[in-house]
Amino acid sequence: MAFDTTGFEQTDSGRYLPISEHGLIGDLRTTALVGTNGTIDWYCCPRFDAPSVFGAILDAERGGSFELAADVPTRTRQFYFPDTNVLITRFFAADGVAEIQDFMPVADESPEVARHRLIRRVICVRGILPFRARIAPRFGYGAEAHTVSLEGHVAVFRSPSLTLALTATAPLETDGVDVWSHFKLLEGDAVVFALDQIGDDVPARSCPRAEAEEQFEATVRFWRHWLAGSRYQGRWREMVHRSALLLKLLTYAPTGAIVAAPTTSLPEQVGGERNWDYRYMWVRDAAFCVYAMLRLGFTSEAEAFMGFLFERMRDTAANGPLQIMYGIDGRTELPEYALPHLEGHQGSAPVRVGNAATGQLQLDIYGAMIDSIYLYDKWGQPISSDGWEDVGMVADWLCENWDQPDEGIWETRGGRRNYVYSRLMCWVALERAIRMANRRGLPADLPRWRQTRDAIYHQIMRRGWSSELGAFVQSLDDGELDASLLMMPMAKFISPTDPKWLSTLDALTKGLVSDSLVYRYNPATSPDGLSGSEGTFSICSFWYVEALARAGRLEEARLAFEKMLTYANHLGLFAEEIGPTGEQLGNFPQAFTHLSLISAAFNLDRALG
């Protein structure tokens, strides 16, 4: 690391912090990424999927940021206030030590919920330190002009789509576009910055030091009270609880939807085109999330998502397939387009908003969805009569439509294929529906469901198995490996000690695993319609741990799990992928990875006894 003249730490490129050098705060409606240098360089207001206000992580010049740091060279360290999503960034300088406490109060349903208050409290804990702040919003992904009006300690930023008010207990100045502040703190001194969305019903309001202290304590209480509901007491409690806190942070409270990640277009390969918008609710991801939440004892989160899911099923069950993803408010249209005025993280273009994969057919989502309903029916609340009607419609639709090519779990853009994983999850959907019908005595066309379930099983065994490779393969009648098949024993399709499965596990270990890290597939031999390469996929790495544990290979499983934990960032957070030298790649932090961490920790812990 080097320092520029302002005292901010810089990467070798001088413009971007690595993806992993960030922590996340939020209020269950939106989030902000805070760098280890004290800069907020990603913040969308008022929701996860709103246009960015601070987007410097995607364009250091045009994206906008909220810089706050010591005005001298420093070392920094970052951590979460214990058992919370309150983030602390500490600055160590020759003459003193100070810290920034970043958090967003979690409001109730009063008008205050629309404020989305973001509080940054700077405290000098030793010696003396000068600080500087630069608040430079760039509205509408950096495409909207704005004005600034400054009256004393309140600055109001106005754009056509959004108005924000910044209040501070330190002097402010403006150049008409950005706002600046310079101040010096002695030991025990504190300065507070509060950024609010304002409007007709939410006027600008100051945030004096006493109120900031009250809000800090209330936010700490909220997160600790929520986390106290966890039942997990295993070996990896700290990592599991950090993952749980993240999953809660990625939940959109008004609907119960869970976003796949709070960011868009962070690259799977620096300089490449594999850049996608993950600020939406994937049925697959959220359904797996229900499993993780139920395992830990958070039934209200599972219940909220189930309500969201059944609404989507009622909208579409009688008219064809579900979408693979929805907006956090349930909307179905998520048009994908590029933002050519943004250069992308470290020059990784294009920057995309929306997601064209919405229109893909991915048959595996039905298995994840009905499995989550089955688990909720078993561990949460019994399924309602209306809910069972929806499940029945989906099962009947699958009986007609399972045997066709689709785009598959990895959302490839190279055309549809007969993916074995898609068949596997169709089998799961029907098998779980049959279980529910039998256990509850519910009406169902069981002969048809059983016949279809068994036909899928036989097709996978006959055409999804390669005698030459000694492994189950990516697509029917081909010879490519795919890490999604690590789900086969977890889905209870095959015994984890079945000779065919153990042979598959060995083949996957040889062909796709690198130091506990797992590639999804080999794009060189299995083209996916995109150029470039990618890193190892972290969810697959945790699936690998669980597959080893279920196969009885506990020493291998534990070592692989402990190795994976070393790839987390300094806060215990994971992006979607891990690059060749251990760098984090892709959208960050990713829900799918953390829910698979919870599952792997739970099952490995149980196997170890």
Side-chain angles (χ1 to χ4, degrees), residues 435-448:
R435 284 196 193 192
M436 280 190 283
N438 286 331
R439 190 173 70 248
R440 298 284 184 199
L442 296 167
D445 190 353
L446 288 175
R448 185 187 187 205

Side-chain angles (χ1 to χ4, degrees), residues 23-34 40 42-49 54 104 116 118 246 248-251 259 261-263 279 588-589:
L24 191 72
I25 60 172
D27 64 356
L28 305 185
R29 286 163 175 81
T30 188
T31 56
L33 283 179
V34 185
I40 296 176
W42 182 252
Y43 175 55
C44 299
C45 187
R47 332 190 310 180
F48 292 106
D49 57 354
F54 303 132
M104 296 179 70
H116 302 289
L118 194 162
L246 173 67
K248 179 67 172 177
L249 201 55
L250 297 183
T251 301
V259 296
T263 55
R279 298 171 298 158
F588 172 87

Side-chain angles (χ1 to χ4, degrees), residues 117-138:
R117 170 158 278 187
L118 194 162
I119 295 177
R120 313 200 73 188
R121 183 167 66 161
V122 191
I123 300 174
C124 184
V125 296
R126 297 181 66 185
I128 181 171
L129 272 182
F131 267 78
R132 70 184 294 274
R134 175 175 175 263
I135 300 87
R138 298 295 182 264

Side-chain angles (χ1 to χ4, degrees), residues 289-309:
C289 205
V290 168
Y291 169 81
M293 289 298 193
L294 286 172
R295 273 294 187 203
L296 297 178
F298 298 112
T299 55
S300 62
E301 283 69 27
E303 181 179 6
F305 170 69
M306 280 296 147
F308 181 90
L309 179 60

Side-chain angles (χ1 to χ4, degrees), residues 69-374:
D71 206 8
V72 293
T74 59
R75 294 178 296 108
T76 65
R77 294 290 184 273
Q78 202 173 55
F79 71 100
Y80 278 111
F81 200 76
D83 295 334
T84 77
N85 282 316
V86 174
L87 188 65
I88 313 294
T89 306
R90 291 170 63 82
F91 295 82
F92 302 86
D95 296 323
V97 179
E99 66 184 36
I100 304 172
Q101 300 171 348
D102 282 309
F103 60 97
M104 296 179 70
V106 182
D108 56 20
E109 293 302 321
S110 71
E112 279 297 295
V113 76
R115 188 176 295 278
H116 302 289
R117 170 158 278 187
L118 194 162
I119 295 177
R120 313 200 73 188
R121 183 167 66 161
V122 191
I123 300 174
C124 184
V125 296
R126 297 181 66 185
I128 181 171
L129 272 182
F131 267 78
R132 70 184 294 274
R134 175 175 175 263
I135 300 87
R138 298 295 182 264
F139 295 88
Y141 301 111
E144 286 186 3
H146 70 273
T147 62
V148 181
S149 60
L150 180 60
E151 295 183 10
H153 289 260
V154 179
V156 178
F157 302 89
R158 291 185 173 88
S159 77
S161 60
L162 187 66
T163 300
L164 297 178
L166 175 77
T167 64
T169 60
L172 299 176
E173 54 185 308
T174 183
D175 60 4
V177 178
D178 302 335
V179 169
W180 303 79
S181 183
H182 297 266
F183 54 94
K184 184 175 290 187
L185 296 177
L186 304 179
E187 187 169 325
D189 288 348
V191 163
V192 175
F193 294 89
L195 187 68
D196 298 343
Q197 177 186 238
I198 62 172
D200 294 339
D201 298 327
V202 185
R205 181 165 62 82
S206 65
C207 186
R209 293 180 183 89
E211 181 177 342
E213 176 66 25
E214 292 172 2
Q215 291 290 305
F216 176 87
E217 292 175 356
T219 305
V220 167
R221 282 196 305 272
F222 172 85
W223 289 113
R224 287 183 169 174
H225 178 267
W226 181 81
L227 189 61
S230 170
R231 293 198 300 250
Y232 182 78
Q233 299 295 327
R235 292 170 174 81
W236 297 283
R237 187 171 178 269
E238 185 174 350
M239 288 298 293
V240 167
H241 281 176
R242 177 51 51 200
S243 295
L245 283 163
L246 173 67
L247 293 176
K248 179 67 172 177
L249 201 55
L250 297 183
T251 301
Y252 184 61
T255 64
I258 301 166
V259 296
T263 55
T264 180
S265 300
L266 294 183
E268 297 177 13
Q269 178 189 25
V270 172
E273 67 167 336
R274 296 168 183 257
N275 317 315
W276 314 109
D277 193 347
Y278 276 15
R279 298 171 298 158
Y280 310 113
M281 197 285 299
W282 266 254
V283 170
R284 176 194 310 111
D285 297 30
F288 280 123
C289 205
V290 168
Y291 169 81
M293 289 298 193
L294 286 172
R295 273 294 187 203
L296 297 178
F298 298 112
T299 55
S300 62
E301 283 69 27
E303 181 179 6
F305 170 69
M306 280 296 147
F308 181 90
L309 179 60
F310 278 118
E311 285 185 25
R312 307 288 81 72
M313 289 174 67
R314 290 185 198 108
D315 290 342
T316 61
N319 301 311
L322 284 164
Q323 291 188 180
I324 68 165
M325 75 182 85
Y326 294 88
I328 53 177
D329 55 0
R331 74 187 188 280
T332 57
E333 299 295 324
L334 304 173
E336 180 178 303
Y337 57 95
L339 300 175
H341 63 283
L342 298 180
E343 72 170 9
H345 182 75
Q346 296 189 46
S348 304
V351 171
R352 293 183 172 96
V353 172
N355 202 305
T358 307
Q360 289 190 354
L361 176 67
Q362 294 180 23
L363 293 169
D364 67 278
I365 67 170
Y366 296 97
M369 178 185 69
I370 294 186
D371 190 46
S372 70
I373 294 170
Y374 164 77

